[in-house]
Structure formats: structure tokens, C-alpha cells
Amino acid sequence: MRRRTVTPGAGLEEVLDDLAAAPAAREEAAAPARPRERERDTLQTEFAFELPRGYVDDEGHVHRGGTMRLATARDELRPQIDLRVKENPAYLSVVLLSQVITRLGTVTDVHAGIVERMYATDVAFLQDFYRRINSEGHTHAAVTCPLCHGSFEVDLSGGRLGES
């Protein structure tokens, strides 16, 4: 509690008015914290990405943009009973990615066969993207410029060339 000294020149009414205004000022200062609390209550479950090369479908169309959802425990467990994964443990990431990618360009039925036909650079990108959103909860990475040593954040989800 802060003490206030009343001088003979200052009236008691003035001090009481200042004290009454203080809680209102504190409430105004605390008001921006409330939207942040709401932000913490919401959970982003889908993340957009853009592949470095792109998936080429049977008609020759290139699909670069897509969305990936957060993985559930079931998504992590299901590949463990898949026969393809039992025969070849490296196939686990193909099955897992096919379950969490919800859209790839205009393709909405993403299955293991589609992931199999992706370029290795795109699969590596998606594996890193999966790790980031499921363990860190976002697609941002802190980086340091090797020239000026300035620190900043980049969004790894992609965008136009030169933006990610």
C-alpha cells in the first residue's frame, strides 16, 4: 500500500478524488490482458503450409499449398499397427503424414500413396513442419543474421518464393 502525505495546501477532497481515479486507471491498464487470456484459451489446430517443390498429380498439376492438422494420440499409434510400417519402419512418416495432411492444393483425400509420390525435399519439409506444430505449437523459428547478428523470427510455413 502506498502512503500519501497530505500537505496543508492540498485539500482532502482532492486526495480522495485521486484515490477514486486510481482503481479505474488500473482497470484500464489491465484491460489489454483480457484478450490475451482469450487467445490462450483458443487452440489453433490447422496450419497452412507451402511445399518447396510441390506434389504433381496424375494430370500434371502441381499442388504446393496445403493444410496440416495437429496430431492426436491415435494418429501417433495407428502407424505402429500398420503392416507396411512393421515391414519397413521408415514408412512410419509416410503413414503419419497422410493422416494429418487435410488438404494439398485441390486434393482433399490425402493418403499414403500421395505422400509416397512426393519429392524427398517436400517430405523432409513436411516432417519438420509436423515436428514444429506438434511439439512447439507454432511454425515460427528464431534466427540470427550471420552478417549483422540481429535476431528475428521467421514463419517456416512458407509463402511466395523468398518469403520463408
Side-chain angles (χ1 to χ4, degrees):
M1 187 169 131
R2 204 174 96 192
R3 292 183 182 220
R4 253 204 157 140
T5 305
V6 179
T7 60
L12 183 58
E13 297 296 323
E14 186 180 312
V15 172
L16 291 175
D17 288 343
D18 288 347
L19 288 174
R26 272 186 252 134
E27 287 176 16
E28 287 176 14
R34 288 189 180 116
R36 284 193 183 131
E37 289 174 10
R38 283 189 210 125
E39 286 176 12
R40 275 186 273 162
D41 290 344
T42 61
L43 176 64
Q44 182 179 358
T45 59
E46 285 202 346
F47 296 83
F49 63 81
E50 190 163 329
L51 296 173
R53 297 204 186 268
Y55 165 69
V56 181
D57 64 15
D58 293 333
E59 288 85 40
H61 298 106
V62 179
H63 305 274
R64 291 188 68 208
T67 54
M68 182 184 291
R69 66 174 173 77
L70 290 175
T72 63
R74 178 176 283 173
D75 294 325
E76 297 266 344
L77 294 171
R78 188 176 290 148
Q80 302 297 327
I81 59 171
D82 192 300
L83 294 176
R84 298 168 294 187
V85 175
K86 287 184 177 183
E87 290 175 12
N88 182 3
Y91 201 75
L92 183 137
S93 64
V94 171
V95 174
L96 188 56
L97 289 173
S98 69
Q99 293 180 122
V100 296
I101 297 172
T102 57
R103 181 185 58 80
L104 187 58
T106 58
V107 180
T108 55
D109 180 28
V110 180
H111 51 82
I114 289 175
V115 178
E116 284 176 353
R117 292 176 35 209
M118 288 182 176
Y119 294 108
T121 54
D122 290 336
V123 174
F125 169 84
L126 289 169
Q127 288 171 331
D128 184 56
F129 192 75
Y130 175 90
R131 183 188 57 78
R132 284 190 180 281
I133 68 171
N134 285 289
S135 63
E136 299 170 14
H138 57 80
T139 61
H140 301 281
V143 296
T144 304
C145 176
L147 300 174
C148 70
H149 301 290
S151 296
F152 55 96
E153 196 172 79
V154 294
D155 187 356
L156 298 176
S157 63
R160 292 188 317 238
L161 289 175
E163 286 187 351
S164 59

